């Protein structure tokens, strides 16, 4: 057993049985940020202590134990007999996710199964769970947000959103007790979260080695900051990606008339589309992927794409995946070039699930990667701006060989990360840093570096909407900065009520895409009232872009997600630890999607303080309190946290990408005497900030200052029913429900005099 510290505030425990050549692939550590060395070691008669950044590991030898402490308390411990080497009879391992997979048991996938060993050796290690301790994370999990009592399978599967199968499995969990645990293993990891021994989290991997890291933080966001330092942070995304995405849907018409009609209809209804997505049938049926436009629908794709981009101001996203149909015109190239994953007899691995005789590109082969990305480069030349990198979960692990000798069990999850990185890097090289984006379904540890990720194939029901919400905040508790989902659900045709509720939820997510399977998601299909409410929410998101883009800069710099489980912001409020039907969008906005029918009251929780309704600022609620109310169909509860300074862009921009430094409305909520507040003003391209808005309240005045020559504010609004303004220096005071000041152009300081 080796105990070490790779970076400040993190202690690693490496357990080896038989040491030999390290298998690969491994999870890349510190791919973006450098480690921070900070470790000291002490020994006394009874124990050895290793300390780093407020975290201490105390090791005793007789008996062998490791106790992890913060400056205030014991966080967790591996006590006597908390780790073991197990030789498990084969019959008791057949329930593992890898063994129950169709990739193992389907005769087309695995026609000549290799003999299985009579005994499988596992390394197991357990950590204590204290009374009241709650466990979250493990990637995008659709089961209950709190994982206590669950057996979690860290093994990517293509299983929708209504089971314990998941597209993005991550061997990391975070607790409400000031620490997280990262299991440094890229393959199958089995975790019993109090499901076997009720006061322990047990981790098992097949093999001779297991390593885990205890990550300490005074706050949950600090834990995520350290975890993403180790595994990578989300890339900065172009500002246009935050706008509305509209898809052709899947099993629908892709004709140019249909596409143009949709874009024109959205424009007329003041819900402008910023990204138009072409799903599978932009290629000929049964040829996926050929990377060639179907000439029946797109006789001149370059001309057509240029026309709709010019007329409607959209970017174009195209659906792809790493599977190549036997009927694809490029299949023979792949076989002759040796570009596909192979069976042990040297022939390409193939099966018929999804496409006839499909093979899978071997992303460990540099020549295959170039072949694949060269095909995509041709599409970029035609006018494609982004790719939806679908699939990547059903990667064979039984009786296959990878080009570079990678262990197939370790490649199963890792494949998705390499695949997305390959495509993301192509876009980054073509368009520049901060200009690449994917819409990806599968991922694993480190995949957060190549955003965006969406929640996969959900149904069009209230339950599926809740699944999408749980999956999103579970994912962002696992190091991912962004999360999206199919607005309205993928499978089925949503009733108008569910569609409208999902639109509101979707437009208060980091990324917002209208997409379905066999029916369209344009709002007028659900009534013109749906189109009106969508327009309102699209406008709200556009105006919030100075705030949202600043959050994306923080996600890139620190690993803090945009959508946040409530306890990330309110760790000291125990009620928030159990909430899975609401979330914070950044530190300042509380969002409570409506998941019930219109006749039913929705219930959500407001933490301490006086909160202000974002859409109806004349309404304020004093927390902590549970709110029960009937919410109109064109509304969503969004509340602004007290002591917030919020910068909104101008009305009517019609797009998410604009100059965030001009025409700003500064909103100040419940400022406290003796305190000051700051809001960054991003440029909207890269990580550059062009200004800072600062507000300071004293007993007699509120002073608002603007730094940065490029930054111009037009209005200041103060929402606090206890404040009365008697005058203003640097603007004109307007009466109303709140204190409102119209600011003179070029003014760098405004002083609001208080009564």
């Amino acid at each position: 057993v080796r105990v070490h510290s790779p970076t400040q505030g993190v202690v690693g425990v490496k357990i080896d049985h038989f040491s030999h050549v390290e298998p690969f692939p491994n999870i890349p550590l510190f791919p973006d940020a450098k480690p921070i060395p900070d470790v000291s070691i002490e020994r006394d008669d009874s124990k050895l202590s290793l300390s780093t950044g407020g975290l201490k590991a105390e090791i005793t030898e007789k008996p062998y134990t490791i106790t992890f402490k913060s400056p205030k308390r014991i966080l967790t411990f591996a006590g006597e007999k908390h780790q073991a080497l197990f030789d498990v009879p084969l019959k008791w391992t057949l329930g593992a996710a890898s063994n129950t997979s169709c990739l193992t048991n389907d005769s087309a996938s695995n026609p000549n199964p290799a003999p299985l060993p009579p005994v499988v050796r596992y390394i197991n290690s357990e950590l204590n769970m204290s009374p009241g301790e709650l466990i979250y994370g493990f990637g995008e999990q659709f089961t209950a947000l709190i994982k206590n009592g669950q057996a979690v399978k860290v093994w990517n599967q293509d299983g929708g959103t209504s089971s314990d199968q998941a597209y993005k499995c991550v061997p990391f969990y975070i607790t409400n007790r000031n620490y997280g645990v990262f299991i440094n293993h890229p393959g199958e990891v089995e975790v019993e979260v109090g499901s076997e021994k009720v006061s322990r989290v047990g981790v098992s991997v097949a093999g001779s080695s297991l390593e885990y890291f205890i990550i300490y933080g005074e706050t949950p966001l600090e834990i995520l900051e350290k975890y993403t330092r180790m595994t990578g942070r989300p890339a900065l995304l172009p500002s246009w990606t935050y706008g509305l995405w509209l898809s052709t849907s899947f099993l629908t018409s892709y004709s140019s008339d249909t596409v143009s009609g949709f874009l024109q209809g959205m424009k007329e209804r003041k819900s402008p589309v910023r990204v138009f997505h072409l799903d599978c049938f932009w290629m000929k049926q049964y040829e996926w992927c050929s990377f060639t436009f179907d000439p029946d629908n797109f006789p001149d794709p370059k001309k057509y794409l240029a026309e709709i981009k010019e007329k409607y101001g959209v970017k174009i996203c195209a659906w792809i995946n790493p599977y190549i149909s036997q009927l694809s015109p490029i299949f023979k190239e792949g076989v002759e070039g040796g570009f596909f994953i192979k069976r042990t007899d040297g022939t390409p691995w193939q099966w018929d699930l999804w496409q006839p005789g499909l093979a899978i590109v071997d992303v460990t082969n540099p020549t295959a990667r170039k072949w694949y990305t060269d095909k995509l480069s041709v599409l970029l030349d035609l006018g494609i701006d982004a790719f939806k990198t679908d699939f990547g979960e059903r990667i064979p692990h039984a009786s296959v060989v990878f080009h570079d000798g990678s262990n197939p069990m370790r490649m199963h999850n890792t494949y998705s990360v390499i695949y997305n990185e390959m495509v993301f890097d192509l876009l980054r090289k073509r368009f520049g840093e901060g200009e690449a984006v994917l819409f990806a379904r599968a991922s694993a540890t480190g995949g957060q570096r190549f955003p965006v990720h969406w929640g996969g194939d959900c149904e069009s029901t209230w339950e599926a909407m809740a699944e999408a919400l749980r999956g999103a905040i579970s994912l962002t508790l696992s190091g991912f900065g962004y999360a999206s989902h199919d607005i309205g659900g993928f499978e089925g045709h949503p009733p108008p009520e569910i569609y409208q509720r999902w639109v509101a939820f979707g437009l208060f997510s980091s990324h917002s895409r209208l997409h379905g399977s066999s029916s369209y998601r344009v709002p007028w299909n659900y009534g013109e009232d749906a189109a009106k409410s969508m327009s309102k929410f699209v406008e709200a998101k556009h105006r919030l872009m100075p705030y949202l883009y600043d959050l994306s800069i923080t996600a890139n710099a620190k690993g803090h997600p945009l959508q946040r489980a409530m306890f990330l912001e309110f760790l000291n409020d125990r009620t928030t630890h159990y909430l899975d039907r609401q979330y914070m969008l950044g530190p300042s906005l509380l969002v409570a999607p409506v998941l019930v029918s219109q006749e039913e009251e929705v219930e959500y929780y407001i933490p301490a303080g006086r909160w202000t309704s974002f859409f109806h600022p004349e309404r304020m609620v004093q927390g902590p309190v549970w709110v029960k109310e009937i919410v109109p169909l064109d509304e969503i509860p969004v509340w602004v946290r007290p002591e917030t300074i919020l910068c909104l862009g101008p009305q009517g921009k019609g797009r998410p990408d604009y100059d965030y430094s001009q025409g700003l409305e500064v909103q100040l909520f419940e400022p406290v005497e003796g305190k000051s507040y700051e809001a960054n003003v991003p440029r909207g391209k890269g990580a550059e900030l062009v200004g800072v808005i600062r507000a300071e309240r004293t007993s007699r005045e509120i002073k608002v200052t603007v730094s940065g020559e490029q930054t111009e504010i037009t209005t200041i609004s103060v929402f606090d029913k206890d404040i009365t303004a008697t005058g203003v220096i640097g603007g004109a005071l307007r009466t109303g429900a709140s204190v409102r000041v119209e600011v003179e152009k070029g003014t760098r300081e405004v002083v609001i005099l208080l009564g």
Side-chain angles (χ1 to χ4, degrees):
V1 177
R2 175 175 176 255
V3 181
H4 62 109
S5 174
T7 189
Q8 189 178 69
V10 179
V11 170
V13 178
K14 182 76 157 55
I15 307 166
D16 286 313
H17 181 221
F18 292 143
S19 296
H20 47 74
V21 176
E22 188 79 14
F24 63 93
N26 290 300
I27 297 169
L29 298 182
F30 303 101
D32 304 318
K34 294 181 179 180
I36 302 173
D38 174 26
V39 62
S40 62
I41 298 174
E42 298 177 358
R43 179 188 288 275
D44 60 28
D45 293 339
S46 62
K47 63 183 180 298
L48 183 69
S49 298
L50 183 149
S51 299
T52 172
L55 175 63
K56 178 181 286 189
E58 293 183 347
I59 306 154
T60 63
E61 296 181 2
K62 294 181 180 180
Y64 160 64
T65 66
I66 307 179
T67 302
F68 301 94
K69 295 182 176 181
S70 74
K72 297 180 180 179
R73 62 181 175 182
I74 293 174
L75 301 174
T76 187
F77 60 86
E80 185 179 6
K81 299 183 180 179
H82 275 54
Q83 73 181 40
L85 191 71
F86 296 135
D87 286 335
V88 182
L90 175 66
K91 64 181 180 180
W92 293 343
T93 71
L94 297 179
S98 58
N99 287 333
T100 58
S101 167
C102 55
L103 294 162
T104 303
N105 297 314
D106 185 273
S107 59
S109 169
N110 189 18
N112 299 298
L116 297 175
V119 170
V120 181
R121 175 159 290 178
Y122 285 85
I123 285 190
N124 171 270
S125 186
E126 298 170 339
L127 290 169
N128 184 70
M129 278 199 305
S130 298
E133 183 173 349
L134 302 177
I135 308 296
Y136 316 82
F138 296 108
E140 182 190 59
Q141 300 288 331
F142 303 107
T143 54
L145 180 67
I146 297 169
K147 296 297 178 271
N148 296 49
Q150 297 182 37
V152 180
K153 302 173 292 188
V154 181
W155 183 259
N156 285 358
Q157 294 174 283
D158 178 359
T161 68
S162 59
S163 74
D164 62 352
Q165 297 184 24
Y167 302 103
K168 309 169 192 68
C169 295
V170 177
F172 168 80
Y173 65 86
I174 188 170
T175 77
N176 63 345
R177 199 174 164 80
N178 301 105
Y179 75 96
V181 177
F182 167 40
I183 302 129
N184 185 20
H185 194 286
E188 185 174 25
V189 180
E190 297 177 87
V191 187
E192 287 77 38
V193 186
S195 60
E196 184 180 50
K197 298 174 183 175
V198 295
S199 295
R200 298 184 194 178
V201 178
V203 175
S204 300
V205 299
S208 296
S209 180
L210 170 64
E211 183 174 39
Y212 65 85
F213 295 95
I214 303 292
I215 304 171
Y216 167 67
E218 292 186 6
T219 67
L221 288 174
E222 186 180 325
I223 296 167
L224 290 178
E225 190 170 338
K226 292 173 181 176
Y227 168 68
T228 56
R229 175 177 291 277
M230 293 186 68
T231 61
R233 289 174 176 155
L236 269 174
L237 294 172
S239 54
W240 53 261
T241 67
Y242 295 86
L244 185 61
W245 295 50
L246 175 64
S247 165
T248 56
S249 290
F250 173 35
L251 300 169
T252 49
S253 171
Y254 289 39
S255 70
S256 58
D257 288 344
T258 300
V259 170
S260 297
F262 284 171
L263 293 173
Q264 183 63 33
M266 296 294 283
K267 184 177 181 180
E268 291 171 355
R269 290 166 175 83
K270 297 182 180 179
S271 292
V273 174
R274 193 63 184 93
V275 184
F276 189 76
H277 169 67
L278 297 166
D279 217 52
C280 315
F281 283 91
W282 69 268
M283 296 176 277
K284 273 191 175 294
Q285 188 175 8
Y286 302 126
E287 291 186 359
W288 306 333
C289 287
S290 65
F291 306 109
T292 302
F293 276 87
D294 181 351
D296 294 336
N297 282 328
F298 305 95
D300 188 346
K302 186 170 186 177
K303 179 183 177 183
Y304 175 66
L305 295 180
E307 287 175 351
I308 63 171
K309 291 173 81 167
E310 174 66 26
K311 185 173 182 179
Y312 300 109
V314 294
K315 299 286 187 176
I316 303 295
C317 175
W319 175 92
I320 61 171
N321 68 56
Y323 308 154
I324 310 295
S325 166
Q326 185 171 280
L327 300 184
S328 170
I330 67 172
F331 182 82
K332 188 176 180 181
E333 292 177 36
V335 173
E336 292 177 349
F339 300 152
F340 300 139
I341 297 170
K342 293 183 175 64
R343 301 190 190 279
T344 51
D345 65 4
T347 61
W349 179 92
Q350 290 177 267
W351 73 348
D352 292 322
L353 291 186
W354 180 243
Q355 289 288 283
L358 71 81
I360 301 179
V361 176
D362 186 344
V363 294
T364 73
N365 182 343
T367 309
R369 288 200 300 269
K370 183 179 187 306
W371 174 74
Y372 189 89
T373 55
D374 282 349
K375 304 292 184 187
L376 301 185
S377 292
V378 173
L379 297 174
L380 300 181
D381 293 339
L382 293 177
I384 299 298
D385 302 289
F387 291 110
K388 172 184 172 180
T389 48
D390 205 353
F391 293 90
E393 304 90 5
R394 288 181 176 170
I395 304 303
H397 58 281
S399 305
V400 294
V401 177
F402 284 86
H403 173 82
D404 71 347
S406 285
N407 181 306
M409 288 289 292
R410 299 168 79 93
M411 270 301 295
H412 175 81
N413 292 342
T414 305
Y415 184 98
S416 61
V417 179
I418 300 174
Y419 161 50
N420 285 319
E421 180 178 24
M422 173 180 71
V423 180
F424 194 90
D425 280 349
L426 171 71
L427 294 167
R428 181 157 45 192
K429 289 173 184 175
R430 172 64 68 100
F431 299 121
E433 196 70 41
E435 295 298 323
V437 66
L438 304 178
F439 216 80
R441 190 173 77 173
S443 196
T445 309
Q448 66 266 17
R449 299 164 62 207
F450 316 112
V452 169
H453 298 83
W454 101 98
D457 298 347
C458 51
E459 296 177 344
S460 300
T461 63
W462 296 117
E463 293 76 16
M465 189 174 163
E467 291 159 10
L469 173 51
R470 283 198 302 275
I473 57 178
S474 178
L475 185 68
T476 59
L477 283 168
S478 306
F480 286 68
Y482 311 96
S484 190
H485 41 91
D486 289 340
I487 294 175
F490 177 71
E491 301 287 359
H493 186 78
E497 183 181 13
I498 290 179
Y499 175 82
Q500 286 196 238
R501 296 303 194 189
W502 212 318
V503 164
F505 167 38
L507 281 159
F508 277 88
S509 301
S510 75
H511 290 78
S512 313
R513 186 181 72 153
L514 299 161
H515 180 63
S517 177
S518 56
S519 61
Y520 299 117
R521 295 291 180 263
V522 288
W524 54 89
N525 279 7
Y526 306 87
E528 288 299 333
D529 286 344
K532 290 178 183 177
S533 60
M534 178 182 288
S535 175
K536 175 174 111 175
F537 296 129
V538 170
E539 168 73 1
K541 190 169 190 185
H542 289 170
R543 294 202 68 199
L544 279 166
M545 278 306 300
Y547 172 71
L548 295 176
Y549 194 84
D550 186 51
L551 292 178
S552 74
I553 294 174
T554 304
N556 174 252
K558 296 184 177 182
H560 297 180
L562 274 70
Q563 291 119 295
R564 303 177 183 181
M566 292 294 295
F567 83 93
L568 285 186
E569 289 291 336
F570 302 97
L571 184 63
N572 292 329
D573 184 339
R574 299 291 296 186
T575 300
T576 67
H577 298 195
Y578 298 88
L579 302 177
D580 65 354
R581 296 191 301 277
Q582 62 186 77
Y583 57 95
M584 296 296 293
L585 185 58
S588 300
L589 298 179
L590 185 156
V591 182
V594 178
L595 304 171
V596 296
S597 63
Q598 193 173 359
E599 299 77 23
E600 189 176 339
E601 287 184 322
V602 66
E603 187 174 17
Y604 56 90
Y605 177 75
I606 301 287
R610 192 161 63 192
W611 294 64
T612 305
S613 169
F614 175 77
F615 287 107
H616 304 284
E618 70 280 0
R619 184 185 177 198
M620 299 177 183
V621 170
Q622 181 69 46
V625 65
W626 282 94
V627 176
K628 292 183 72 174
E629 61 182 355
I630 299 289
V631 177
L633 197 52
D634 63 345
E635 298 277 350
I636 181 174
V638 178
W639 293 88
V640 187
R641 190 176 187 171
E643 298 190 60
T644 285
I645 182 169
L646 189 64
C647 292
L648 299 181
Q651 295 180 358
K653 279 295 183 180
R655 60 194 299 136
D657 43 326
Y658 54 88
D659 187 347
Y660 302 147
S661 68
Q662 299 299 301
L664 290 173
E665 177 182 347
V666 177
Q667 296 186 340
L668 188 60
F669 297 85
E670 302 288 331
V672 173
E673 185 178 325
K675 285 191 175 184
S676 61
Y677 309 94
E678 290 187 351
N680 294 326
V681 180
R683 186 164 72 96
K685 192 175 180 65
E688 181 185 354
L689 299 177
V690 294
V692 176
I693 311 294
R694 188 172 189 273
E696 182 178 9
R697 180 182 174 183
T698 67
S699 61
R700 297 183 177 182
E701 64 184 30
I702 295 174
K703 182 188 294 184
V704 178
T705 56
V706 181
S707 67
E709 294 181 0
Q710 302 175 43
T711 303
E712 292 285 347
I713 63 174
T714 60
T715 310
I716 300 170
S717 299
V718 181
F719 299 99
D720 186 330
K721 66 181 182 180
D722 298 328
I723 284 180
T724 302
T726 60
V728 64
I729 302 171
L733 186 63
R734 297 289 179 256
T735 58
S738 62
V739 175
R740 184 176 174 85
V741 176
E742 292 182 2
V743 180
E744 299 167 2
K745 187 175 178 59
T747 300
R748 318 313 292 167
E749 181 177 284
V750 175
V751 179
I752 302 170
L753 305 176
L754 304 180

